Structures are given as structure tokens and as C-alpha cells.
Amino acid sequence: MHSIFSRLNNGSSLLSSCLMGLLLAVTLSTFVFTAEPQGNLTIGSIRVLEGRNPRRYNQKQEVGVVRFNVTADLTPLFHWNTKQIFLYLQAEYNTTEGVQNDVVIWDRIVRRKEDASINVVAKDKYHLRDVSRTFRGVPHAQYALKYNIMPYVGVLTYGEVARTSEAVVFPKLGEL
Amino acid sequence: MFSDELKAFRRLGFRHVLLQVLNFASVIASGLMLWKGMSLVTNSESPIVVVLSGSMEPAFYRGDLLFLTNPVSELYKTGDITVYKIPGADIPIVHRVLETRNFPIKDWDPSTSSSPHPVEQKMLTKGDNNHVDDLALYEGLDWLERKHIVGKVRGFMPYIGYHLTILLQNDFPQLKYALLGGLALLALLQRE
């Protein structure tokens, strides 16, 4: 009954239940942190150019190139269970045909508190495209800066840092 | 080597063997019940998955455990991390939603429709660690659709599934067969 095997078995099962309890406690502790990060988002310019449809390579498709300015302070989001923050900027628009679109145009992975003060003036990483292959049916778009906190263990949480206060009008092909 | 074990086996008799089989069956059955029960609650065919690729590093490494839900009442949003399975592809993929296009369904009737939303979602995903989006992974499909998605990642636990990646993938074949053989031997020879 008191063989080395049973001792090992009991010891490891106690250890693993302690570990699970600890992980559960860490998971629950994350719900205490409810910081609201501050940030600002402005859209510099939008250009609509002619490009190719990545799904049908011989087809032409309009491509929206967005320049933007993002400042955000994500430091309050870093607590002891923050592994990294996925920050993303998305365009939100409805076409005249009633299709609702959310399209991420830029993202960044923030892994350290020292890098959490964001100040970016940049062009999009992923160009805007519409399913109809043209932006003629898209009068304007809203832009929002959002984040996803990815923990060491536990629940993934989402939130919004900033949003354009007014809808940004889409230019015609070739115009600024 | 096993003669002692065999003797012990004979001594314990037929009823004991039956009891052992019954115990074994009840363990298997309760595990399966738990799994299917979780499936029902989360509306996901596989509510817990093990990460098998490095395309979401540095967030998810191989062997990390992900907990999924797939609520009917919720539409997928950009930034959600989904697990999806394209018909024809052998392993499910864990990637983040980059684009959602919600097409309105004409003549939508809430009493007959399976979805509580009058929209049909088309999505594009991308792995955080990949340079390009997943279009090439869709096996010729233009968009990812709801029916391809197993669930949305809600919770995360590191490392726990690493032994499973050894069993499921062929990085260390000797270790894999040694583990499997050892487990089988233990299961056969254990007497309690």
C-alpha cells in the first residue's frame, strides 16, 4: 500500500491540484483590473487607387490606402497576468447595399510595458478593399482603435481605446 | 517476467476482471459525457483544443490549451481568435479575424431561420505571426464562413497540452511509441 509508486502518485496529484487552484486564482484576479486606456485617433488621408483582386488575379479592384495618426497609452492594461496586447485599427462602414463591414487595416503586438506608450504616424498594413471591388457604394467610414489583452492564463478580454469622432468621407478613385 | 502478473490475474478471478472492465467503461463514458455536455453548453464541436502550430506566436505556442465557445446569438467580430476547419484540410487552424463582411439576408424570417441575426457573415483571418492573410489556406474558398468555424477562443492555459502534441504529431517518433507502449502496458498490468 505504501509503495514508492503510490507515494509518487499521491504527491503528483496533490501538486497538480495545487497548481490548478493557483491558476484559477490568477485567472479570477484578472477581473479586478478594469483600466480604461486613453488614446487618440485621427485619419490623415485616404487615397483610392486601382489594384488587383487577390481572389481573382485578372480582375481589377479599388484599393483604399489610409494614413493615420495614433497616440495611445496602454500602460494601465499591463498587470501581472498580461502576456501581450494585440492593438488593432479597423475601418467600419456600411455600403449602400446594406453590407456591414469591419476591416482591420493596421495592428501591432505590444509585449512590454516599456513599449505600451504608442505614438504612430503610419500608412495601413492591410489595404482597404470592398467586396463590390469599388468604393462607389461606400459614402463614409468610421475608424476605431481596439485592443485584445492576452493573458498568461485565463480569459481573453477586449476593449476600445479611441474612435474617430466623425465619419470620414471616401474619396473617388484617384482623388485625395 | 510477466508470470507473477499472470498468476495474480488468475487468482483474482473472472468477477474481478469484469469489475475492472466495468470501471474502465465508466471512466470512458463519464469522460465522453463531460466532453459532449461541454459541447452542448458551448455550441462548439470541440470546446477545448490544443495549439498545433506556431502561427499565433508569441501569444499561443504549440501545446497550449484553448477554451472555445460558439454562441449562436453572437456574430463574430474583428479581433476574435477563431478555430476553423476548412473542408478538405486535415487540421483545424487557430487564427484571428481580420475582416468581417455581414451580408443582409433577404426575406429573413426569425421563426424559420437557424440564426438569430438577419445577416450572413463572410470573414478573412490571419495568424498574428504570419505575414499574409489566410486566403491561401482556404482551399479555393473566397471567404471563411460561420459553418467552418469551430469556436472563438475565450480562455487560455499554457503548456498543458504539450504531451498531446507529441502524440498527435510526428516530431519525436521514438518517444511517441515509447509513451503509447508504456501507457498500454500500465493499463494491462495494473492491479488494484
Side-chain angles (χ1 to χ4, degrees):
Chain A
M1 284 302 109
H2 295 283
S3 66
I4 187 109
F5 188 73
S6 71
R7 278 167 205 271
L8 256 170
N9 196 9
N10 286 337
S12 63
S13 83
L14 178 68
L15 267 178
S16 56
S17 21
C18 286
L19 185 68
M20 287 300 152
L22 195 67
L23 290 181
L24 189 71
V26 171
T27 302
L28 291 177
S29 77
T30 357
F31 293 107
V32 178
F33 304 101
T34 48
E36 298 263 316
Q38 299 299 314
N40 189 38
L41 163 67
T42 47
I43 300 300
S45 71
I46 306 169
R47 284 185 75 186
V48 176
L49 306 170
E50 196 155 57
R52 288 198 177 278
N53 182 356
R55 290 173 177 81
R56 308 271 180 283
Y57 227 70
N58 50 4
Q59 240 176 24
K60 285 187 174 141
Q61 182 176 38
E62 287 181 11
V63 172
V65 181
V66 185
R67 290 185 172 276
F68 58 88
N69 193 338
V70 160
T71 53
D73 182 22
L74 303 180
T75 37
L77 296 180
F78 275 87
H79 47 76
W80 69 338
N81 194 18
T82 305
K83 185 186 203 175
Q84 66 172 43
I85 290 171
F86 185 79
L87 185 70
Y88 56 104
L89 173 65
Q90 69 175 29
E92 304 166 354
Y93 64 87
N94 290 347
T95 64
T96 43
E97 285 165 358
V99 185
Q100 303 164 338
N101 299 266
D102 286 351
V103 184
V104 174
I105 57 173
W106 177 84
D107 59 23
R108 173 179 279 186
I109 295 172
V110 185
R111 303 191 64 192
R112 302 186 308 162
K113 203 169 186 171
E114 293 81 58
D115 302 330
S117 198
I118 311 286
N119 193 353
V120 175
V121 182
K123 206 170 72 173
D124 55 32
K125 261 167 92 175
Y126 320 109
H127 297 324
L128 270 176
R129 291 165 199 274
D130 189 63
V131 183
S132 63
R133 312 208 319 267
T134 169
F135 290 108
R136 276 188 294 253
V138 185
H140 47 68
Q142 288 270 1
Y143 294 83
L145 185 67
K146 301 191 168 202
Y147 65 86
N148 167 216
I149 306 175
M150 308 180 79
Y152 285 109
V153 62
V155 181
L156 279 78
T157 44
Y158 290 83
E160 190 172 290
V161 188
R163 171 174 282 278
T164 46
S165 46
E166 287 165 26
V168 185
V169 177
F170 256 94
K172 291 205 169 57
L173 182 67
E175 287 176 13
L176 259 179
Chain B
M1 182 187 169
F2 297 127
S3 55
D4 286 351
E5 308 285 345
L6 276 176
K7 256 181 219 156
F9 202 65
R10 284 217 191 90
R11 199 179 59 235
L12 287 169
F14 187 59
R15 274 166 181 270
H16 184 80
V17 175
L18 279 184
L19 199 67
Q20 195 92 315
V21 169
L22 196 65
N23 274 333
F24 192 63
S26 91
V27 166
I28 300 258
S30 49
L32 197 70
M33 291 282 276
L34 199 68
W35 180 252
K36 287 292 167 194
M38 279 171 76
S39 261
L40 268 180
V41 172
T42 58
N43 188 36
S44 170
E45 62 177 272
S46 165
I48 300 175
V49 297
V50 178
V51 179
L52 293 178
S53 83
S55 59
M56 284 297 278
E57 283 176 21
F60 303 152
Y61 288 89
R62 280 186 50 192
D64 295 347
L65 224 56
L66 305 176
F67 298 88
L68 314 181
T69 64
N70 182 29
V72 190
S73 57
E74 272 178 44
L75 290 171
Y76 280 86
K77 297 191 287 289
T78 51
D80 284 347
I81 303 168
T82 57
V83 176
Y84 66 86
K85 212 161 146 188
I86 299 287
D90 31 330
I91 57 164
I93 299 173
V94 187
H95 280 177
R96 194 186 294 273
V97 177
L98 199 67
E99 297 182 6
T100 60
R101 316 280 187 176
N102 299 351
F103 291 82
I105 301 172
K106 292 183 187 77
D107 321 316
W108 179 75
D109 180 6
S111 58
T112 54
S113 172
S114 58
S115 155
H117 298 282
V119 293
E120 190 190 342
Q121 281 200 299
K122 291 190 189 297
M123 283 163 272
L124 181 70
T125 52
K126 177 182 168 290
D128 289 358
N129 197 28
N130 291 355
H131 288 290
V132 291
D133 59 46
D134 290 354
L135 209 50
L137 299 176
Y138 291 166
E139 307 263 336
L141 297 175
D142 281 350
W143 298 95
L144 190 70
E145 284 169 48
R146 176 111 198 191
K147 62 182 178 212
H148 304 132
I149 295 183
V150 178
K152 171 193 324 199
V153 178
R154 302 312 279 263
F156 169 79
M157 200 189 272
Y159 307 124
I160 305 290
Y162 191 74
H163 60 285
L164 276 174
T165 65
I166 293 174
L167 292 183
L168 293 174
Q169 293 187 314
N170 242 347
D171 294 345
F172 314 102
Q174 287 96 342
L175 184 59
K176 175 176 160 175
Y177 293 117
L179 263 175
L180 279 177
L183 279 177
L185 264 182
L186 264 181
L188 275 176
L189 298 179
Q190 218 169 34
R191 46 184 167 144
E192 276 181 54

